Every structure is written in C-alpha cells, then in structure tokens.
Amino acid sequence: MNPFDEIAVEEAVRLKEKKIAQEIVAVSCGPAQSQETLRTALAMGVDRGIHVEVSGPEYDTLQPIHVSKILAKLAQDEKADIVIVGKQAIDDDSNQTAQMTAALLDWPQATFASKIEKQNGELQVTREIDGGLETIKVKLPAVVSADLRLNEPRYATLPNIMKAKKKPIKKVSPKDLGVDTAARIEVLSVEDPPTRQAGVILPDVDQLIVKLKEGGHVQ
Amino acid sequence: MLRFGRVLNLSRNVVPFVEVNSRGLATAPQVARKGEEVEKATSEAKESQSFTMNLFRGVMETAQVFPFPQVLNEDQKDTLKMFVDPTAKFFEEVNDPAKNDTLEAVEPQSLEGLWELGAFGLQVSQDLGGLGLNNTQYARLVEIVGAHDLGVGITLGAHQSIGFKGILLFGTPEQKAKYLPRVTTGKEFAAFCLTEPSSGSDAGSIRSRAVLSADGKHYILNGSKIWISNGGLAEIMTVFAQTPVLDEKTGKEHDKVTAFIVERSFGGVTSGPPEKKMGIKASNTAEVYYEDVKIPVENVLGGVGQGFKVAMNILNNGRFGMAACLAGTMRAVTRKAVDHATTRLQFGRRIDSFGTIQEKLARMSTLQYVTESMAYMISGNMDSGSTDFHLEAAISKVFASEAAWTVTDEAIQILGGMGFMKECGLERVMRDLRIFRIFEGTNDILRLFVALTGIQFAGAHLRELQKAFKNPAANLGLIFGEATKRAIRSVGLSSPPSLSQHVHPNLVPAAALAAKSIESFGQAVEATLLKYGRGVVEEQFVLNRLANAAIDTYTMAVVLSRATMALQSGLPSAHIQELMTKVWCSEASGRVAENLGAIRSSQTLENFSNLSAIAKNVCENGGLIHINPLNF
C-alpha cells in the first residue's frame, strides 16, 4: 500500500476508534492485486472494501483525473462525510487526486494534514506548508490528504487479518461508475537524469575563483 | 519337513533359533527412565506406518514418504500467504535481535508486539484466542522466526510448543476453556517444568513430589526445577512431579510421575534470577521452586501417573517445529555467506569461483534442503492424522540442530575475520544454536531412542517368527515365506526393495542407492540381535552407528520424495533440487554402508573396546593420563 495511503487508512481507523467516524470504506483502483491492498486495509480496521477493477493497458494510462472522478462518484453513492487519501503516490508523485476530487465534488479540501480534530461538526486540520504549519477549519463533507507526520500506521496483526477475510469487498468497473478512463495525457519520453560528471579538487580559494570565472559562473 | 530343514540350513542368518527376549528390549528405548514403570512390550508385533520403524526390519514402508504430503487446502494456503508478510515485516522492522541479545531479554515493545501480532497462540483454536493454525502452517511461520531471532524463537516455543502444549493435547474441555484464553489473549506466559538438578535426560528420576491432601481436594507440591525457559515470566506452568500411586495388582504404593497445571498465583511458587547463558540470551531461563504449593485436583493433566507419557508426547509433538525453525535460520545464514562470496575479491577473483568455497556453499544449501524437506514432511504427516512419527521427529531434531551448527560455522568461515565480528551477526546465531543439540532431548539420547525403538520393533517381528517355529504346522506359510526369502538372499539372488516406481525417472539411480541402504538395514539389525540379544541395550557404540545409518536412510527417502514432487510440478528450482538429491543419496548411502559394515567388523569392534578402555582410564585419572612428550 502506498505509504501515504496507509497513513490515511490509519487516521480513518483512529477516527472510528474515537467514535467520530461510523463506518470506513476503503477503495482501490487497479488489477487483481488491489484486492490484497484492500485486505491489508481491512486488517487495519476498515469495515468494507470496494475494488474498482482496472487492468492491463487501461491501468497503464490511469491518471489522477480518472481516480478523482471514480472517488467522487463513490463518495456520492456511499454518502461519505470525509474522503481521506494519501497526499501523493510514491510512483508518480502527482499530488493531484485529493484536490481534483474535492473540486469535482465541490467540497472543501484540507491537504497535507498533519493533525485532524473534529470540533462542532467541522474539521480543524493542521497543514504542513513550506513556511511551517497552517491550521484551517473546513465544513463537512470534506476531502483530506494525509502527510507523513499525521500518524504512524499500526502493524496488521494476524488475528485481524483473519477477521478481515470475512469482511466484504465489492467489485465494480469504472464504466459502472460512469467514468471514462481514456488517456488524457500522452507520455512523450522518459529519460534518466544526466550522469554526474567528476568533480575537481582545488588547492585553494584563489584557484576556485579562477575556475568559477573560467566556467562563466561569476563575472 | 526334512527338505524344509535343509533349506533353512542353507541360509546363514538363522535368527529364529536365537532367543530374542523382546520384553527385555522393551526397557531399552526407555533407557533414560529408571524407577518409572516401563510400557510393557506387547507380545504381538505391531504394525507401523513409520518409514524408520520398518527400516529396522529391512522393510520399505513408503506410505508416509511418497508422495510428498501436500495438506493445505486453498483457503489454508491463502490465509498462510496473508500471514507471511506481516510476520516478516515485524521481525525486520520492530524486533531487534542484537538489542535483545545485549539486553539479555526481549525488548518490551517487541514482546508486546508479538502478543498483539498473535504469535503466542498460533495453534490454539480461534474460539479460544488463537489462530488455529495446523502444523504445516505453524512450520511456515516459525521459519520466519528462525531466520531472524532464535532467542525470540525459544521464548515463543517454550510458551506454546511445550509450555501449554500439554493442555492442547491432554486437557479436559474445562481445562482448555479455562487456560487457553489466558495464554493467548490473556497474555500470560507458560512454561514446561520437567528438568531438575539431578534429572536431565533421566526424566523418570525426578524428585519433585506431589502428595494428595487429607481432604482429597488438592495435591501439595514440593520440589525445584532448573533451566526452565520462561521460568521467570510464566504464570501458567506444566509441572511434572512424582505422585504416590496404588498398584491395583500388587496392592503396593509406588511413585509415578504426574503432570499438573500449576499457576504461580496458587502460592508457594518462586523463581530465581535469569541464568547467564552462552546464547539465546534474550530467552529467560530460571530456576523455579515449589514449596507446599496447593494444586486443585482438577489440574491433573492427562491422568494421575501418566506424566511420563504426557511429557514424551509434548516433546514429540513439538519437535518438527525445531526443524522448521532451523531451516529458516540456515536459509538466512546461507544468504549472508552468498552475499559475501559473490562480492569479495581476493587473488584477483571473486571467492565463489574457488572450489573450496563452492563446496561449502553447496553443502550448506543441501543441508538446509534436507532439513526443510523433513520438517514439512513430518508436519504434513501429522496434519494427515498420522500417529507414527516419533522416530522421524527425533531424527529431524538431531539432524536440524547439527546441520544448523555446521552451516553457520561454515558461513562464518566464508566470511573470514568479518564472520567473527559481533556486527556481522553470525556469531550470535552460532552462540544461539549450541543449545539446540542439548535441550528437548539431547541428540545423544535421541540417537539411542531411534536405534533401540527400531530394534525393539524389529525384534518383536522376529519373535513372531520364532514363535511360529515353536508351532510350525500352524505357521507353515510364514515359515516358508521367511525361509525362501533368506535362502534367496543368502545365494545372492534377491532383488532389493525398489523405490523406482515412486520417484521421477531422473532420480531412479539415486533411489536405487536408497533402496540398497534399506535392504542392508534389515540384515544388519538381525545380525546385531543375533550377536548381542537383549544385551544390545548396553552397546551404545553400535547403537549410535545404527542410528546414524537410520538418519542417513530416512533423509535419502525424504529428499527423493521432495525432488520428485518438484520435478513433476516443473518448479524452477527442480533441477537444483535434483542435483542436491543426487549428491545427498550418493554420499549418504556410502555412509550407511560404512556404518553398517563397521558394526560387524572385528577391527571396528576392537576400536570400540579400546575407546572404552581409554575413557575408563581417563576417568580414573581425573583427566588425561599422558603428560607431554617432555614428560613434565
């Protein structure tokens, strides 16, 4: 499971343990292996899973825009109050799904959450931003994305894994949800970064200035 | 009748006329237990499904060996697969074996994590707080533990493999309902308390005593136990003590061992400080003292006077676990050696290009393969409902503990100086492994157990034959069959039992070697009985060689079976499994021939008697008699 999603699942389970959340539904879009990811979520304490089956070439071109549409539709169908996701996936680092989902639903968003508290029917979320921490209030329903320091996910225990086997996983397809998964982006090329050139060891600062001037790095 | 007599005279092995007193032999396998009433040998030869038992008769019983048992259904496999990753993850990320070793205790967060993980109740049924795993599933998880931390392995094993196993095997429904939840979700530790200062291998000679109180409601226990794993932690203990029992036949009272479930909270139970050990330092080992402990009579486990049987069954039942655990250890240790051998350059080349290193790595791989195959074969037999696995379990414990020691030793050698350094982690594994040849039945006792139990079984069958001769008219069929068999054998016309129909075509030659070993076994055992009769009990030099030959033969059958399965399923590793099996059978069959030949060779027997004399002198002298070449 994507580490940030794991943190999101952990937070959801904690919300349920604090009796703030009533039911947790985990969603995974992908091929058959997604079921195993869902089982891990179920073992952590999620109540039921939805597997949106996407495989083969369709899966290769799946983008955040498609996933957001899927999540938005499911959030409406399931009458969810909170959609919580990891801030980004560690394979593409897109950091788009939470934002797009919120926009599609026209819900407020609280991204890069490092702390979530419920106060009077609203969520108070502390966000990690470049300048430090920002605390905002969002009305429910809302979309939240989990950042690294939100929590430390629990380890799945073997008894919970056994219990998870009995929890239901519903299978649907993007088409069932009215989502067109045709590719919106065409990948033109993928290249390795240039190999690092060897450095030079210089005897003193004067030499350094000479070299820098030669390279046109200083005037 | 005359013709019949001539046929008999032709064959050299005329065993029927030797007085084989199998009642005497009955005391033999139970060498360790004086003063304990011995199970009387039945006068009828029992049948057994055990490969090893039948080996001693020269009979090839393959029911439990071919095909390789595959006992998990799809659901059990799925569940197990789901368990493997979280368990491995816990041992890689949470448990710190080096820290545990330095602390000489399992770190508290690790211990707590293990309870949460469910690791302490793997084989308890789900409704009583466990995971309900069968033996094969247990073996798979215990492999992971062995690969990472043997100290934790013993903490877990002392708790469930022996600590409360008696309750699983012999407990009444009330005892199970009361205690199993406590040792799983209740997080109370369990321990197996048998050994005493004057009773180790000789378990029947324990001195702790439990006497029935006047009102008949309690047993009052007094005694002390040493080297009890989890002794300092356990709340629930399986304790063995002598109880006075009335012999109905003689009307006399004598002591018999009884097993009890004892709670520390009964009062009078104290434990000593943790022992300082060579290895498995993280595991708690302590003395436990019982002073006027009141045990309710409902806590007798398995019946009054049945303690010895309870103890032996508990140990037998858990033995395959050790083989599985050590297979995991060997896998991890070999990985380290391979990592090093494939990167280290000396003399301008990778050291794995040198034959010396190749031989080490190949033997390490093969020893691991044999051990692992045995562990799963035995667990598979047990899960299929077999009750005839005790010799195989003993063999697997002996083999696994010695193989793991050799493999780790060689891994350290391959790593050179680095292998000796604490940081590398191998020295800790080496220190941890030493105890495995000692506890849960020393390898020395287990070898004698295998040899003598096998001989007793063979002897009982021969006695049947002998009885048949007392009444030949009624038993002509048996006698003719036997005589013909021996006559044919003595003129060299016999064809050995064949394994070729059980194995893949590629393995037929290797299987023929194994079959030859099986055949020569029967003759060797008969000759031994012929020579020593019931006195064979005292011939440990001979018994040890028979045991080693039995181990070599059983392991040959095991790998032939597993490699056949691999070849038939077309596994990617099938070819390598085939190679390891071929080498193993070639070398093992050579050792069998050597061992079985040795016990009939006068040169070897002279060596044995010289060795005995040397030992006697060294002991009388309190040490070595010779000084040094300078004589001062």
Side-chain angles (χ1 to χ4, degrees), chain B residues 240-308:
Chain B
F240 297 86
Q242 301 284 3
T243 47
V245 163
L246 193 62
D247 186 332
E248 281 150 19
K249 290 184 213 148
T250 63
K252 282 203 208 127
E253 212 180 57
H254 55 187
D255 277 352
K256 284 190 82 169
V257 177
T258 301
F260 296 94
I261 304 172
V262 178
E263 296 183 43
R264 195 182 284 263
S265 60
F266 286 165
V269 181
T270 48
S271 52
E275 302 285 356
K276 296 223 164 270
K277 307 188 290 288
M278 170 179 172
I280 55 163
K281 292 188 181 191
S283 160
N284 171 276
T285 312
E287 293 186 14
V288 187
Y289 316 103
Y290 304 96
E291 200 180 319
D292 295 328
V293 180
K294 285 168 72 167
I295 312 171
V297 291
E298 300 80 52
N299 279 27
V300 169
L301 187 60
V304 175
Q306 296 297 304
F308 192 81

XYZ file of all heavy atoms in Angstrom, chain B residues 240-308:
521
model
N 5.933 -31.401 36.295
C 5.961 -32.859 36.446
C 6.506 -33.236 37.813
O 7.552 -32.741 38.227
C 6.815 -33.480 35.344
C 6.259 -33.227 33.974
C 6.575 -32.056 33.291
C 5.393 -34.123 33.383
C 6.040 -31.791 32.042
C 4.857 -33.869 32.126
C 5.179 -32.701 31.457
N 5.792 -34.098 38.527
C 6.231 -34.500 39.856
C 5.832 -35.945 40.121
O 4.891 -36.465 39.514
C 5.596 -33.589 40.910
N 6.552 -36.565 41.058
C 6.222 -37.950 41.451
C 4.978 -37.906 42.325
O 4.854 -37.053 43.205
C 7.382 -38.560 42.247
C 8.702 -38.615 41.531
C 8.792 -39.728 40.489
O 7.826 -40.443 40.248
N 9.953 -39.848 39.880
N 4.071 -38.819 42.072
C 2.905 -38.942 42.949
C 2.796 -40.395 43.389
O 3.042 -41.305 42.601
C 1.607 -38.565 42.228
O 1.588 -39.218 40.941
C 1.466 -37.080 42.012
N 2.462 -40.612 44.652
C 2.298 -41.993 45.107
C 1.026 -42.565 44.482
O -0.029 -41.951 44.510
C 2.141 -41.860 46.625
C 2.202 -40.406 46.942
C 2.185 -39.617 45.685
N 1.202 -43.739 43.877
C 0.081 -44.355 43.171
C -0.067 -45.789 43.641
O 0.931 -46.487 43.839
C 0.355 -44.304 41.646
C -0.540 -45.257 40.895
C 0.171 -42.892 41.119
N -1.305 -46.199 43.821
C -1.549 -47.568 44.274
C -1.586 -48.501 43.070
O -2.364 -48.306 42.150
C -2.892 -47.610 45.016
C -3.175 -48.870 45.811
C -2.127 -49.041 46.912
C -4.565 -48.772 46.433
N -0.710 -49.510 43.116
C -0.740 -50.501 42.043
C -1.835 -51.502 42.362
O -1.740 -52.231 43.340
C 0.628 -51.202 41.966
C 0.718 -52.139 40.767
O -0.321 -52.659 40.332
O 1.843 -52.343 40.280
N -2.861 -51.524 41.514
C -4.009 -52.384 41.825
C -3.637 -53.849 41.926
O -4.192 -54.582 42.724
C -5.090 -52.210 40.750
C -5.902 -50.950 40.964
C -6.403 -50.399 39.633
O -6.420 -51.163 38.654
O -6.766 -49.226 39.599
N -2.674 -54.261 41.115
C -2.354 -55.689 41.089
C -1.599 -56.135 42.330
O -1.880 -57.182 42.892
C -1.518 -56.013 39.844
C -2.330 -55.897 38.567
C -1.524 -56.309 37.332
C -1.963 -55.481 36.141
N -0.867 -55.240 35.216
N -0.609 -55.306 42.737
C 0.215 -55.748 43.876
C -0.275 -55.183 45.201
O 0.124 -55.638 46.257
C 1.680 -55.319 43.688
O 1.697 -53.882 43.675
C 2.238 -55.820 42.380
N -1.140 -54.151 45.117
C -1.618 -53.522 46.343
C -0.572 -52.632 47.001
O -0.763 -52.124 48.098
N 0.588 -52.484 46.281
C 1.647 -51.644 46.868
C 1.583 -50.244 46.286
O 1.125 -50.033 45.151
C 3.024 -52.254 46.545
C 3.379 -53.428 47.399
C 4.894 -53.621 47.450
C 5.177 -55.098 47.696
N 6.066 -55.684 46.735
N 2.096 -49.296 47.061
C 2.138 -47.928 46.597
C 3.529 -47.628 46.072
O 4.515 -47.954 46.724
C 1.838 -46.992 47.774
C 1.120 -45.737 47.335
C 0.827 -44.837 48.512
O 1.780 -44.461 49.209
O -0.351 -44.510 48.702
N 3.578 -47.079 44.892
C 4.882 -46.594 44.451
C 4.706 -45.287 43.687
O 3.594 -44.865 43.403
C 5.634 -47.650 43.650
C 4.840 -48.171 42.487
N 5.292 -49.219 41.726
C 3.668 -47.811 41.947
C 4.403 -49.483 40.779
N 3.410 -48.655 40.895
N 5.860 -44.649 43.390
C 5.826 -43.337 42.771
C 5.681 -43.427 41.256
O 6.362 -44.216 40.601
C 7.126 -42.574 43.078
C 7.060 -41.897 44.434
O 5.979 -41.897 45.054
O 8.100 -41.363 44.855
N 4.795 -42.589 40.742
C 4.727 -42.431 39.286
C 4.625 -40.952 38.995
O 4.051 -40.190 39.779
C 3.489 -43.148 38.724
C 3.648 -44.653 38.669
C 2.526 -45.295 37.893
C 2.810 -45.221 36.403
N 1.878 -46.057 35.630
N 5.155 -40.572 37.847
C 5.158 -39.150 37.503
C 3.765 -38.720 37.037
O 3.094 -39.429 36.283
C 6.185 -38.859 36.385
C 6.120 -37.397 35.981
C 7.582 -39.224 36.854
N 3.357 -37.557 37.523
C 2.083 -36.974 37.084
C 2.341 -35.555 36.588
O 3.219 -34.852 37.113
C 1.078 -36.930 38.253
O 0.874 -38.261 38.728
C -0.257 -36.340 37.820
N 1.572 -35.151 35.584
C 1.682 -33.788 35.072
C 0.582 -32.928 35.682
O -0.556 -33.380 35.823
C 1.550 -33.794 33.550
N 0.948 -31.702 36.054
C -0.009 -30.786 36.674
C 0.005 -29.448 35.962
O 1.047 -29.002 35.477
C 0.358 -30.513 38.141
C 0.295 -31.716 39.019
C 1.440 -32.476 39.248
C -0.883 -32.092 39.636
C 1.397 -33.589 40.076
C -0.932 -33.200 40.472
C 0.211 -33.958 40.687
N -1.159 -28.767 35.956
C -1.181 -27.362 35.529
C -1.078 -26.556 36.807
O -1.962 -26.619 37.681
C -2.512 -27.017 34.822
C -2.759 -27.957 33.645
C -2.473 -25.570 34.340
C -4.154 -27.784 33.036
N 0.015 -25.804 36.933
C 0.253 -25.050 38.166
C 0.253 -23.563 37.851
O 0.902 -23.122 36.898
C 1.619 -25.426 38.780
C 1.905 -24.611 40.029
C 1.641 -26.918 39.101
N -0.475 -22.786 38.640
C -0.453 -21.326 38.475
C 0.442 -20.729 39.544
O 0.427 -21.157 40.697
C -1.867 -20.755 38.648
C -2.866 -21.210 37.617
C -4.222 -20.546 37.815
O -4.242 -19.323 38.075
O -5.248 -21.244 37.721
N 1.219 -19.717 39.127
C 2.071 -19.043 40.106
C 1.223 -18.488 41.245
O 1.654 -18.450 42.392
C 2.845 -17.915 39.406
C 4.020 -17.374 40.202
C 4.688 -16.235 39.452
N 5.499 -16.715 38.349
C 6.817 -16.904 38.399
N 7.480 -16.647 39.514
N 7.469 -17.328 37.347
N -0.020 -18.104 40.912
C -0.885 -17.483 41.916
C -1.383 -18.486 42.956
O -2.025 -18.082 43.926
C -2.085 -16.813 41.246
O -2.826 -17.788 40.545
N -1.104 -19.781 42.784
C -1.511 -20.757 43.808
C -0.751 -20.526 45.111
O -1.141 -21.030 46.160
C -1.236 -22.200 43.339
C -2.185 -22.711 42.292
C -1.871 -23.840 41.566
C -3.379 -22.068 42.029
C -2.735 -24.336 40.591
C -4.251 -22.552 41.058
C -3.924 -23.687 40.335
N 0.383 -19.772 44.995
C 1.176 -19.511 46.202
C 2.225 -20.575 46.422
O 1.968 -21.755 46.199
N 3.399 -20.161 46.879
C 4.481 -21.116 47.130
C 5.390 -21.289 45.936
O 6.360 -22.047 45.997
N 5.066 -20.608 44.838
C 5.890 -20.712 43.626
C 6.801 -19.489 43.553
O 6.329 -18.358 43.556
C 5.014 -20.750 42.353
C 5.885 -20.874 41.117
C 4.013 -21.887 42.428
N 8.114 -19.731 43.499
C 9.052 -18.614 43.334
C 10.042 -18.984 42.232
O 10.226 -20.169 41.930
C 9.844 -18.321 44.616
O 10.367 -19.550 45.117
C 8.974 -17.680 45.675
N 10.664 -17.957 41.652
C 11.668 -18.263 40.634
C 12.933 -17.464 40.873
O 12.899 -16.392 41.499
C 11.112 -18.001 39.229
O 10.576 -16.715 39.151
N 14.032 -18.002 40.404
C 15.336 -17.376 40.603
C 15.627 -16.351 39.530
O 14.815 -16.111 38.645
N 16.826 -15.735 39.588
C 17.206 -14.721 38.613
C 17.483 -15.379 37.264
O 17.723 -16.594 37.198
C 18.482 -14.118 39.205
C 19.057 -15.202 40.048
C 17.899 -16.005 40.580
N 17.469 -14.592 36.185
C 17.735 -15.162 34.864
C 19.156 -15.729 34.783
O 20.097 -15.087 35.255
C 17.581 -13.976 33.910
C 17.016 -12.864 34.699
C 17.227 -13.149 36.132
N 19.297 -16.931 34.237
C 20.622 -17.546 34.108
C 21.421 -16.823 33.034
O 20.867 -16.340 32.043
C 20.478 -19.015 33.705
C 19.664 -19.863 34.661
C 20.397 -20.219 35.939
O 21.592 -19.871 36.059
O 19.782 -20.829 36.819
N 22.741 -16.779 33.261
C 23.610 -16.162 32.248
C 24.074 -17.264 31.302
O 24.708 -18.231 31.716
C 24.815 -15.514 32.937
C 24.396 -14.375 33.850
C 25.322 -13.175 33.701
C 24.765 -11.904 34.270
N 23.986 -11.114 33.309
N 23.755 -17.103 30.009
C 23.977 -18.210 29.091
C 24.920 -17.855 27.949
O 25.224 -16.708 27.698
C 22.631 -18.647 28.494
C 21.557 -18.946 29.528
C 20.333 -19.556 28.871
C 19.570 -18.570 28.022
N 18.859 -17.590 28.841
N 25.306 -18.883 27.227
C 26.153 -18.690 26.041
C 25.348 -18.040 24.914
O 25.851 -17.196 24.179
C 26.659 -20.057 25.573
C 27.360 -20.088 24.237
S 27.893 -21.772 23.880
C 28.448 -21.578 22.193
N 24.123 -18.479 24.773
C 23.324 -17.979 23.660
C 21.856 -17.943 24.050
O 21.518 -18.196 25.219
N 21.009 -17.688 23.095
C 19.584 -17.385 23.315
C 19.421 -16.552 24.583
O 18.582 -16.811 25.432
C 18.652 -18.630 23.318
C 19.089 -19.700 24.321
C 18.550 -19.227 21.939
C 17.972 -20.708 24.632
N 20.274 -15.509 24.671
C 20.306 -14.701 25.887
C 18.986 -13.969 26.107
O 18.606 -13.694 27.232
C 21.450 -13.686 25.815
C 22.813 -14.350 25.858
C 23.928 -13.327 25.971
C 25.280 -14.034 25.989
N 26.377 -13.140 26.351
N 18.295 -13.656 24.995
C 17.031 -12.928 25.136
C 15.980 -13.793 25.814
O 15.028 -13.279 26.401
C 16.527 -12.508 23.766
N 16.145 -15.111 25.745
C 15.153 -16.003 26.348
C 15.413 -16.101 27.849
O 16.540 -16.280 28.286
C 15.271 -17.383 25.696
O 14.692 -18.365 26.507
N 14.361 -16.001 28.634
C 14.508 -16.088 30.092
C 14.640 -17.546 30.525
O 13.792 -18.365 30.178
C 13.291 -15.439 30.754
C 13.254 -15.681 32.253
O 12.782 -16.723 32.724
N 13.778 -14.732 33.001
N 15.712 -17.844 31.256
C 15.914 -19.203 31.776
C 16.112 -19.064 33.278
O 16.968 -18.291 33.717
C 17.176 -19.840 31.160
O 17.158 -19.664 29.756
C 17.257 -21.324 31.487
N 15.328 -19.793 34.075
C 15.435 -19.595 35.523
C 15.108 -20.869 36.288
O 14.490 -21.792 35.746
C 14.483 -18.492 35.958
N 15.533 -20.871 37.559
C 15.127 -21.963 38.456
C 13.736 -21.635 38.981
O 13.389 -20.475 39.155
C 16.107 -22.066 39.628
C 17.490 -22.502 39.186
C 18.436 -22.762 40.369
O 17.977 -22.869 41.515
O 19.644 -22.851 40.107
N 12.952 -22.674 39.214
C 11.625 -22.456 39.779
C 11.484 -23.360 41.003
O 11.806 -24.543 40.944
C 10.509 -22.766 38.762
C 9.150 -22.359 39.323
C 10.762 -22.058 37.442
N 11.006 -22.783 42.107
C 10.890 -23.538 43.369
C 9.427 -23.665 43.766
O 8.655 -22.713 43.647
C 11.664 -22.838 44.489
C 13.026 -22.356 44.061
C 13.255 -21.014 43.787
C 14.090 -23.251 43.902
C 14.495 -20.563 43.384
C 15.338 -22.804 43.481
C 15.534 -21.458 43.222
O 16.767 -21.006 42.813
N 9.072 -24.848 44.241
C 7.693 -25.105 44.674
C 7.724 -25.516 46.131
O 8.323 -26.533 46.486
C 7.060 -26.216 43.833
C 7.095 -25.921 42.342
C 8.107 -26.435 41.535
C 6.136 -25.107 41.748
C 8.158 -26.157 40.183
C 6.180 -24.822 40.397
C 7.193 -25.342 39.621
O 7.245 -25.058 38.279
N 7.088 -24.689 46.989
C 7.079 -25.002 48.414
C 5.636 -25.099 48.882
O 4.924 -24.094 48.940
C 7.821 -23.907 49.181
C 8.271 -24.363 50.544
C 9.004 -23.259 51.301
O 9.811 -22.552 50.643
O 8.757 -23.098 52.500
N 5.226 -26.329 49.176
C 3.854 -26.572 49.635
C 2.828 -25.868 48.756
O 1.927 -25.189 49.268
C 3.692 -26.134 51.098
C 4.541 -26.974 52.037
O 4.734 -28.176 51.734
O 5.025 -26.436 53.052
N 2.962 -26.057 47.469
C 2.028 -25.435 46.537
C 0.760 -26.287 46.499
O 0.817 -27.495 46.295
C 2.631 -25.342 45.124
C 1.648 -24.695 44.169
C 3.949 -24.602 45.158
N -0.389 -25.637 46.680
C -1.650 -26.390 46.661
C -2.223 -26.374 45.244
O -2.644 -25.323 44.748
C -2.640 -25.763 47.639
C -2.290 -26.075 49.095
C -3.079 -25.250 50.082
C -4.530 -25.684 50.158
N -5.201 -25.086 51.333
N -2.268 -27.557 44.646
C -2.808 -27.679 43.293
C -4.161 -28.361 43.379
O -4.261 -29.489 43.868
C -1.901 -28.547 42.400
C -0.429 -28.119 42.519
C -2.360 -28.519 40.958
C 0.520 -29.068 41.823
N -5.232 -27.725 42.881
C -6.536 -28.386 42.886
C -6.467 -29.680 42.061
O -5.795 -29.723 41.033
C -7.481 -27.386 42.231
C -6.723 -26.131 42.064
C -5.275 -26.391 42.269
N -7.172 -30.713 42.499
C -7.082 -31.997 41.783
C -7.564 -31.888 40.335
O -7.177 -32.677 39.485
C -7.853 -33.131 42.495
C -7.161 -33.499 43.784
C -9.290 -32.769 42.718
N -8.413 -30.868 40.074
C -8.880 -30.691 38.692
C -7.745 -30.334 37.751
O -7.908 -30.350 36.539
C -9.908 -29.548 38.595
C -11.157 -29.710 39.419
C -10.909 -29.348 40.869
O -10.385 -28.243 41.131
O -11.230 -30.176 41.734
N -6.603 -29.952 38.325
C -5.483 -29.525 37.486
C -4.522 -30.645 37.111
O -3.479 -30.380 36.532
C -4.717 -28.378 38.164
C -5.428 -27.056 37.941
O -6.636 -27.031 37.748
N -4.676 -25.968 37.965
N -4.870 -31.884 37.443
C -4.056 -33.006 36.968
C -4.239 -33.065 35.459
O -5.349 -32.954 34.943
C -4.523 -34.331 37.612
C -3.872 -35.519 36.913
C -4.187 -34.341 39.087
N -3.130 -33.211 34.757
C -3.169 -33.174 33.299
C -2.873 -34.551 32.721
O -1.806 -35.102 32.947
C -2.133 -32.155 32.801
C -2.115 -31.828 31.310
C -3.439 -31.247 30.857
C -0.987 -30.838 31.030
N -3.840 -35.119 32.022
C -3.596 -36.382 31.346
C -3.760 -37.610 32.228
O -3.504 -38.717 31.790
N -4.183 -37.387 33.484
C -4.396 -38.553 34.345
C -3.261 -38.786 35.319
O -2.085 -38.586 34.981
N -3.591 -39.231 36.522
C -2.573 -39.481 37.540
C -1.656 -40.607 37.073
O -2.116 -41.627 36.554
C -3.244 -39.858 38.874
C -2.198 -40.230 39.909
C -4.077 -38.690 39.388
N -0.366 -40.409 37.250
C 0.591 -41.446 36.889
C 0.931 -41.498 35.405
O 1.739 -42.318 34.978
N 0.328 -40.619 34.639
C 0.581 -40.634 33.200
C 1.598 -39.587 32.781
O 1.758 -39.317 31.591
C -0.734 -40.372 32.439
C -1.773 -41.461 32.643
C -1.293 -42.787 32.093
O -0.950 -42.899 30.929
N -1.221 -43.790 32.955
N 2.250 -38.972 33.761
C 3.127 -37.840 33.483
C 4.200 -38.111 32.464
O 4.503 -37.274 31.622
N 4.799 -39.302 32.538
C 5.877 -39.571 31.596
C 5.357 -39.564 30.170
O 5.946 -38.970 29.267
C 6.546 -40.905 31.922
C 7.804 -41.051 31.165
C 8.962 -40.435 31.614
C 7.841 -41.724 29.956
C 10.136 -40.503 30.885
C 9.009 -41.787 29.219
C 10.160 -41.176 29.676
